[in-house]
Amino acid sequence: MSLSSIDLHTDPAQFPGMDVYAVAGNPISHSKSPAIHKRFSEQSNQSMHYGRLQPALGEFAATAKSFFVAGGKGMNVTIPFKLDAQEFADVLTARAQLAGAVNTLRIENGKIFGDNTDGAGLVRDLSAQGIKIQGARILLLGAGGAARGVLGPLLEQSPKELIIANRSSPKADELVQLFSELATTYQAVLASVTLSDLEGSDKTLSPFDLIINATAAGLSNESPVSDIAASHIFIPQSFAYDMVYGKVTAFMQQALHRGSRVSDGLGMLVEQAADAFLIWRGAHLNKSIDPRAVLSELRS
Ligand code: ATR
């Protein structure tokens, strides 16, 4: 595949003198990542260009290879290519291995390095919104890639308890096994239940300080929890976080109805982008970029 057939303002030859980056996903036209990185580069006076790539399904590796061979410096990876990106990388960071997925690629001396900044982005967004994870009772809804990607960074903040609730139990049980050692290290109780367990009267399953929706239910305008379960898990002191952004989801509406504070996932998107930017351009730019200002701009 030639780069021209997949180029959406990302052919490094079109931007002489600039380092070129891109976000790869399918679909990708809606992505806010180019706007976010443009603001970071302006804030920190970096001469760079950030475009989009839309590999055909099954062609991530070919597209990524073309991009890096043509001189591309780094790539963000989104749905549905995070597993392909993990396979594509020559070297993985420990957190990318634990997450089972890669959202940030960079090239150094011809080697591709894969990292995952999603979980760190979530933790920083929660902290910026005044949410304390240490000692909290957390309910994580979903056991797919999005849930796995944030589990490590959440456990590293030493919550009191982290319950994974999924529609079907095998995937949630698998995650508990995979992360049990980390949970022990950080003195967190880690357990799994099914979504229907949340409808029962078991007091250990209600209410929660922090409820995170990492399921794909929001995409089809559904909530993963029933109204009965919602009446157990949310109280006015709860904080409900949906990783989806750009709308008040059915899950957020249930939480609002019970007086809980809510947030969509736009802050997580900006914060994970900030970490990717610093990986590429240098951690010393930490003080030059202002993710919360970029988030306000996106919201206004
Ligand atoms: P992602 O990478 O976005 O996490 P995924 O790996 O396909 O995508 O996982 C999707 C998650 O959303 C799973 O936890 C899935 O539940 P199952 O494992 O039982 O399939 C969950 N999910 C998707 N649609 C849902 C719905 N309508 N209600 C509840 N959970 C849903």
Side-chain angles (χ1 to χ4, degrees), residues 79 142-147 166-168 171 195 214-217 220 222-224:
I79 294 171
N166 200 42
R167 194 164 50 179
S168 50
K171 271 208 254 172
L195 290 174
T215 71
S220 50
E222 292 170 43
S223 169

Side-chain angles (χ1 to χ4, degrees), residues 71-254:
K73 296 286 184 205
M75 189 185 281
N76 279 139
V77 184
T78 186
I79 294 171
F81 297 124
K82 290 184 186 183
L83 285 179
D84 302 78
Q86 191 189 38
E87 276 163 30
F88 182 73
D90 300 311
V91 186
L92 294 175
T93 60
R95 64 181 177 177
Q97 272 176 42
L98 203 56
V102 158
N103 79 335
T104 305
L105 293 169
R106 70 184 171 89
I107 188 162
E108 192 182 312
N109 298 326
K111 266 207 159 62
I112 304 288
F113 290 77
D115 202 345
N116 192 313
T117 64
D118 284 333
L122 171 66
V123 166
R124 251 207 334 282
D125 186 38
L126 287 169
S127 155
Q129 297 197 57
I131 305 304
K132 198 167 164 235
I133 299 174
Q134 190 186 9
R137 298 192 65 220
I138 302 178
L139 178 65
L140 180 63
L141 302 167
R148 181 172 168 174
V150 300
L151 254 175
L154 284 173
L155 288 171
E156 285 167 7
Q157 299 299 308
S158 293
K160 182 173 171 209
E161 238 177 279
L162 197 160
I163 310 286
I164 304 169
N166 200 42
R167 194 164 50 179
S168 50
S169 52
K171 271 208 254 172
D173 295 345
E174 236 174 76
L175 286 189
V176 169
Q177 274 197 342
L178 206 57
F179 286 86
S180 65
E181 205 181 309
L182 194 70
T184 306
T185 305
Y186 288 92
Q187 296 176 331
V189 173
L190 179 65
S192 63
V193 297
T194 62
L195 290 174
S196 48
D197 289 336
L198 299 173
E199 294 181 350
S201 54
D202 185 347
K203 286 278 175 280
T204 62
L205 295 180
S206 63
F208 289 89
D209 301 312
L210 172 61
I211 303 99
I212 300 169
N213 184 15
T215 71
L219 299 175
S220 50
N221 246 340
E222 292 170 43
S223 169
V225 289
S226 67
D227 280 340
I228 296 173
S231 69
H232 295 162
I233 61 178
F234 298 120
I235 53 171
Q237 294 77 18
S238 306
F239 189 78
Y241 193 98
D242 203 320
M243 287 196 197
V244 168
Y245 60 85
K247 59 181 174 190
V248 179
T249 61
F251 164 80
M252 288 160 76
Q253 273 161 2
Q254 285 174 320

